[in-house]
Amino acid sequence: MAALTAAPPAVALTTDLTQSELFAQIAGNTSLSASFWVNIALAGLAILLFVYMGRNVSDSRAQLIFVATMMVPLVSISSYTGLVSGLTVGVINVPYPGGGSEDVLIMWGRYLTWALSTPMILIALGLLAGTNLTKLFTAVVMDIGMCITGLAAALTTSSLLLRWFWYLISCAFFVAVIYILLVEWPKDAQAAGTAEIFSTLKTLTVTLWLAYPVVWAVGSEGLAVLGTTQTSWAYSLLDVGAKYIFAYLLLRWVAANQNVIGSIAGGSLGAVSSAD
């Protein structure tokens, strides 16, 4: 089911593995480790590409969007290095519906990644849309709440009911983020003159972000329809689209439309000047 599928495993999968033993488990499962290394490589390439794309960006608001977006692959390369090294993974005994439980490799480092990278995505989108400080703050806080309660769901083993209750709380935070993306910010983007690119990025973000709680529910942390390696690949592929493809589309447009970005004066955020 959700156990690692390396054959033969380096050591038995138990809840008291050392970091070295976890590293050996991951390295012994070629497919699982590849799901980490692919993102490390893509994040590294993305960092180099985005630095190159931003070489001629001079508008301060456009630069701020670049900085926020650049943080996404920077966080990712650090996070995936933590996963592949065994630093930010662990084994816990996960209870399943219908009774019974299983020792499962939990990649809790992913939640740290999301808690740091997804707010950067929202900040970049909020700046693009020309939203006000209240809406931006609300989106970021709700997003962090979503990630932290998702981590609580993944780590709760004392009660199956509480484990899924944490999951529902996380989904409730997510609904607030989705509302801002679909209802509030499109109106701001229309006024800012960035509606077309914002609509593309909004659709990409919402579509891919909706898949994360689905993967959690059917993956090794939820119902165990997917095994650990399959769950890891599902998250990794979603990260490729939600982070690197998203960032490329955003930064390419920003670099080519600095005059539009520079004219945005969204709500109480105002236009970002060099003095800021």
Side-chain angles (χ1 to χ4, degrees):
M1 260 172 59
L4 285 174
T5 57
V11 291
L13 190 62
T14 63
T15 56
D16 58 353
L17 295 180
T18 66
Q19 185 180 132
S20 296
E21 290 170 334
L22 287 167
F23 171 73
Q25 279 279 359
I26 293 168
N29 186 328
T30 304
S31 182
L32 178 62
S33 61
S35 71
F36 300 148
W37 283 111
V38 164
N39 267 271
I40 292 173
L42 289 177
L45 291 174
I47 292 167
L48 296 175
L49 175 61
F50 299 158
V51 169
Y52 178 78
M53 291 171 64
R55 68 195 184 283
N56 295 321
V57 173
S58 57
D59 177 77
S60 54
R61 191 183 189 97
Q63 289 175 339
L64 185 55
I65 293 174
F66 259 83
V67 170
T69 308
M70 277 283 295
M71 285 301 298
V72 176
L74 286 169
V75 168
S76 289
I77 198 170
S78 302
S79 171
Y80 274 99
T81 301
L83 291 171
V84 80
S85 66
L87 176 63
T88 56
V89 300
V91 178
I92 65 173
N93 191 255
V94 175
Y96 290 121
S101 62
E102 186 173 3
D103 289 342
V104 175
L105 186 75
I106 296 295
M107 295 162 279
W108 56 267
R110 289 189 183 275
Y111 297 89
L112 294 182
T113 307
W114 298 329
L116 293 171
S117 62
T118 54
M120 293 299 107
I121 291 173
L122 291 174
I123 289 172
L125 281 174
L127 289 169
L128 178 69
T131 193
N132 62 47
L133 185 59
T134 300
K135 293 178 185 177
L136 186 59
F137 178 81
T138 301
V140 169
V141 170
M142 291 295 176
D143 177 73
I144 294 173
M146 173 187 72
C147 296
I148 297 302
T149 52
L151 175 60
L155 295 181
T156 296
T157 60
S158 58
S159 166
L160 178 65
L161 180 61
L162 288 176
R163 185 178 179 86
W164 284 92
F165 185 61
W166 276 119
Y167 173 80
L168 292 177
I169 294 174
S170 180
C171 289
F173 279 115
F174 187 33
V175 168
V177 175
I178 293 298
Y179 174 82
I180 292 170
L181 283 170
L182 292 181
V183 178
E184 295 294 334
W185 285 1
K187 293 181 290 187
D188 295 334
Q190 189 69 44
T194 59
E196 184 175 356
I197 183 62
F198 181 83
S199 178
T200 298
L201 296 173
K202 170 200 69 179
T203 301
L204 177 65
T205 299
V206 171
T207 301
L208 293 178
W209 284 23
L210 281 170
Y212 283 89
V214 174
V215 171
W216 195 99
V218 301
S220 56
E221 297 164 318
L223 300 174
V225 175
L226 302 178
T228 300
T229 301
Q230 293 169 315
T231 301
S232 182
W233 268 111
Y235 282 139
S236 293
L237 292 175
L238 287 173
D239 279 354
V240 171
K243 294 177 180 179
Y244 315 131
I245 293 176
F246 164 89
Y248 173 75
L249 294 175
L250 170 60
L251 297 183
R252 183 183 65 174
W253 190 92
V254 169
N257 295 273
Q258 292 186 67
N259 58 324
V260 178
I261 297 297
S263 67
I264 296 174
S268 58
L269 280 179
V272 180
S273 66
S274 57
D276 295 329

